Amino acid sequence: MVDKTPDQKCQDSSGLTCEFSQNLDILRQIDLFSALPIESLKVFALMSSREKYKAGDVLFQQGEDDGQAFYIFSGAGELVYKGDGPEEVIRTVGAGQMIGATAILGEVPRLFSFRAVTELECFLMEREKFRTTLEQFPAILPKIIKTLVQKIHAREKVFLTSRNPDCEACKKNLGVIFD
């Protein structure tokens, strides 16, 4: 991490700081938050921070549970998976995308690492602050769950249409099954 983004001391016509106002605008654009009431979004905006990272910085490491989600304002990073073989770059993530949202929802080890390819400026949300906000606004939880279900459904639909129809392993891994 390079350093925290300097707090912008400007204020808009309502007296809100630029950073708060920008954070609020970003939350309105993220699927996970866009349907939530403005009162809860204001708290999420206040409890989030901005961070800058330099190329090569690892924002989170495969296997760890850091409880952080990142919305990328500028720059690009790559998802990296290390299995039994050599490290593999899965995909690139850039401005306007959020990565790691499941980490703020529950305790799970990261399935891959995320590394800055260029300088990155991110909006950072932490699990404990997310939970504190949920405790203040418990009525928003069904909306968050609805958005998650829609995302999982959309991902499965993409997987179904893009998979190799002869791939037996793909067929076995389709669907979320609760044992």
Side-chain angles (χ1 to χ4, degrees), residues 3-152:
D3 59 341
K4 288 194 171 204
T5 302
D7 184 29
Q8 300 174 358
K9 298 295 181 193
C10 64
Q11 293 185 338
D12 64 16
S13 59
S14 65
L16 301 175
T17 66
C18 287
E19 183 175 315
F20 172 79
S21 184
Q22 291 168 351
N23 288 350
L24 194 55
D25 287 344
I26 292 299
L27 286 168
R28 289 178 177 147
Q29 297 171 34
I30 299 172
D31 291 346
L32 189 61
F33 301 99
S34 62
L36 302 182
I38 189 68
E39 296 80 20
S40 62
L41 292 178
K42 286 179 179 177
V43 174
F44 282 127
L46 282 171
M47 293 194 146
S48 301
S49 63
R50 289 182 181 215
E51 304 288 340
K52 282 188 175 180
Y53 301 89
K54 60 185 177 188
D57 282 353
V58 175
L59 282 68
F60 57 81
Q61 190 74 40
Q62 182 177 330
E64 71 180 16
D65 175 21
D66 63 313
Q68 297 178 331
F70 303 84
Y71 176 86
I72 301 171
F73 284 112
S74 63
E78 56 191 12
L79 302 179
V80 180
Y81 176 74
K82 176 75 174 105
D84 294 334
E87 182 179 281
E88 177 184 359
V89 174
I90 299 171
R91 66 185 277 203
T92 301
V93 179
Q97 295 181 301
M98 186 171 192
I99 186 76
T102 55
I104 59 172
L105 299 170
E107 292 87 12
V108 288
R110 300 282 190 178
L111 296 175
F112 43 79
S113 299
F114 185 59
R115 179 175 55 215
V117 175
T118 65
E119 184 172 295
L120 277 176
E121 183 176 0
C122 299
F123 172 87
L124 175 66
M125 186 173 286
E126 297 173 354
R127 181 186 309 137
E128 290 310 313
K129 293 177 179 176
F130 180 79
R131 286 182 176 166
T132 299
T133 305
L134 281 181
E135 289 170 7
Q136 286 182 286
F137 301 96
I140 66 174
L141 190 55
K143 292 178 181 179
I144 290 172
I145 291 171
K146 180 180 178 183
T147 302
L148 287 172
V149 169
Q150 291 169 340
K151 278 286 192 192
I152 291 169

